[in-house]
Amino acid sequence: MNLTIDSASRSAEDLMRSVLREGEEIADEYPLVFDDRFDGRIVTARDDEELLSTCAFLVRELVIGPSRVRVGLIGSVATDPEHRRQGHGSQVLLKAEEELARRGCVFSLLWADEPQYYAGRGYVPIGAELNYVIHPEQASLLPDCDSARLAQPDDIERIHALYLAHSARVERSFDETRALLAGPGIETLVTERAGRAVAYSCLGRGGDLQTVVHEWGGDAEDVLALVHAHLDRQSVRRPLFMLVPAQAREVREYFELVGIRGAVGVLGMGKLLDVDRAGEILTEVAPQCTVLALAASEPALRVSGPSGQIDLDGPNLLLTLFAPKLDRGVVDVVESQTGLELGALPLAPFVWGLDSI
């Protein structure tokens, strides 16, 4: 079997379409992977000329307040149904992880339809996102939406600026924002004042996010008015889901005030790729600690504080830094064993819907 890394090929795209989209188009959803202007790559596993399995990956920088973390996004893992349960998917996944580690990524991140499969390959749930369900009959609980309109090409520069104002995001260029907004099935609304957009909201994207408000920017009241507008514009009345980062305090408080309920979910599943950089992140947020990488078959780190030490393997190190649902369980254990004060942990990275692959 031959494993290769390349830009997108027609055969890989065809396999992803067949396995993941029942033959429907997929490339337009992920321009950062399939458009040659950007840096996404495809891993393929072939036996002679026959394509057995494939996946996509993309190197990104996560902005988490003052911190920056290089991460490798993995998506569109697809194996030919005639060649499943032979380890081909695991091999393309491992090849992607090795390449991401070579490119300086601290961890890989993916969104799993089969979490048990990825758990068996070293992945753990990490991060947090809040998911709110807004029913059509609750539209009146949201601010009025008189000034909402569809976004136009001239709005993209302002939309990009509003995106960059988020304290938790994926770093993104203007050209990337423009390409992502052109994806299939996206309704982007803006609110305009004094001739410029002051808020935006994206509903829908391809096959995965059809009823989800998955990216937005601007003041909370303006954004929620745009969600109101999305509800009003529907030809079929149905609930909408809204993804909200932990940092969006004003949006969360508004929903709590009016009685719109939400649930805390995980950001995705992650696997540690660079134990040394993970140790650097830990000392950045907790300068009083010392860390030592352990010589072991799997990545591990010894964390020492004023009253003791603890050894953390890759999964537990990720759970310390980026705990799922902001659960401090592992952080509390580290504090109790070492005497460290880790009030800045866990960190809360966020990947907006347009950036997922």
Side-chain angles (χ1 to χ4, degrees), residues 13 49 54 84 120 137 153 179 197 203 251 290 321 346:
E13 182 183 337
E49 293 302 313
T54 186
R84 288 179 180 166
E137 58 270 23
L203 168 67
V251 172
T290 59
L321 292 171

Side-chain angles (χ1 to χ4, degrees), residues 118-138:
Y118 293 101
R121 285 146 187 84
Y123 283 80
V124 293
I126 62 170
E129 64 181 26
L130 290 89
N131 304 281
Y132 290 91
V133 184
I134 308 161
H135 296 272
E137 58 270 23
Q138 294 175 307

Side-chain angles (χ1 to χ4, degrees), residues 60-75:
R60 306 304 274 161
E61 295 283 337
L62 292 182
V63 178
I64 316 167
S67 300
R68 287 178 175 262
V69 180
R70 178 165 288 196
V71 62
L73 306 183
I74 296 178

Side-chain angles (χ1 to χ4, degrees), residues 46-307:
R46 297 178 184 274
D47 185 2
D48 294 326
E49 293 302 313
E50 186 176 12
L51 181 60
L52 308 175
S53 187
T54 186
C55 74
F57 70 83
L58 182 64
V59 176
R60 306 304 274 161
E61 295 283 337
L62 292 182
V63 178
I64 316 167
S67 300
R68 287 178 175 262
V69 180
R70 178 165 288 196
V71 62
L73 306 183
I74 296 178
S76 300
V77 182
T79 299
D80 188 318
E82 295 185 3
H83 298 283
R84 288 179 180 166
R85 303 189 184 280
Q86 299 176 42
H88 303 314
S90 296
Q91 289 184 314
V92 296
L93 187 63
L94 181 59
K95 184 70 172 178
E97 293 163 0
E98 290 172 348
E99 182 62 18
L100 291 170
R102 189 184 71 80
R103 298 184 184 205
C105 295
V106 182
F107 65 95
S108 53
L109 175 67
L110 52 79
W111 294 268
D113 292 330
E114 300 179 26
Q116 290 183 336
Y117 172 85
Y118 293 101
R121 285 146 187 84
Y123 283 80
V124 293
I126 62 170
E129 64 181 26
L130 290 89
N131 304 281
Y132 290 91
V133 184
I134 308 161
H135 296 272
E137 58 270 23
Q138 294 175 307
S140 62
L141 299 176
L142 301 177
D144 290 335
C145 54
D146 295 339
S147 60
R149 62 168 174 80
L150 287 171
Q152 302 299 317
D154 289 347
D155 296 314
I156 296 176
E157 186 172 352
R158 276 295 300 160
I159 289 173
H160 182 64
L162 289 165
Y163 173 79
L164 293 181
H166 288 299
S167 63
R169 63 181 191 276
V170 175
E171 194 61 276
R172 187 198 290 170
S173 71
F174 172 77
D175 286 341
E176 289 171 337
T177 293
R178 179 166 53 188
L180 291 166
L181 287 170
I186 301 173
E187 177 182 82
T188 302
L189 300 180
V190 299
T191 293
E192 179 183 322
R193 291 197 191 95
R196 70 172 190 166
V198 297
Y200 77 101
S201 174
C202 298
L203 168 67
R205 181 195 183 200
D208 292 335
L209 299 169
Q210 293 180 2
T211 61
V212 182
V213 177
H214 54 81
E215 181 168 315
W216 45 267
D219 290 341
E221 185 171 349
D222 289 329
V223 169
L224 293 172
L226 292 175
V227 177
H228 189 165
H230 285 304
L231 285 164
D232 287 348
R233 289 172 57 86
Q234 292 188 112
S235 57
V236 178
R237 289 172 60 83
R238 57 187 176 180
L240 297 184
F241 301 84
M242 185 175 180
L243 299 185
V244 176
Q247 293 85 349
R249 179 178 55 83
E250 292 182 351
V251 172
R252 293 188 286 110
E253 289 178 349
Y254 187 97
F255 281 143
E256 182 176 353
L257 179 66
V258 301
I260 293 177
R261 300 188 178 278
V264 181
V266 300
L267 177 65
M269 297 190 76
K271 181 177 180 179
L272 185 68
L273 302 177
D274 187 338
V275 67
D276 292 328
R277 178 57 185 139
E280 291 173 2
I281 296 169
L282 185 56
T283 56
E284 286 170 5
V285 299
Q288 71 273 32
C289 77
T290 59
V291 298
L292 174 68
L294 301 178
S297 57
E298 297 293 335
L301 198 69
R302 177 163 293 162
V303 181
S304 301
S307 62

Side-chain angles (χ1 to χ4, degrees), residues 314-327:
N316 280 302
L317 186 50
L318 274 184
L319 294 176
T320 302
L321 292 171
F322 311 109
K325 303 182 181 182
L326 302 180
D327 181 355

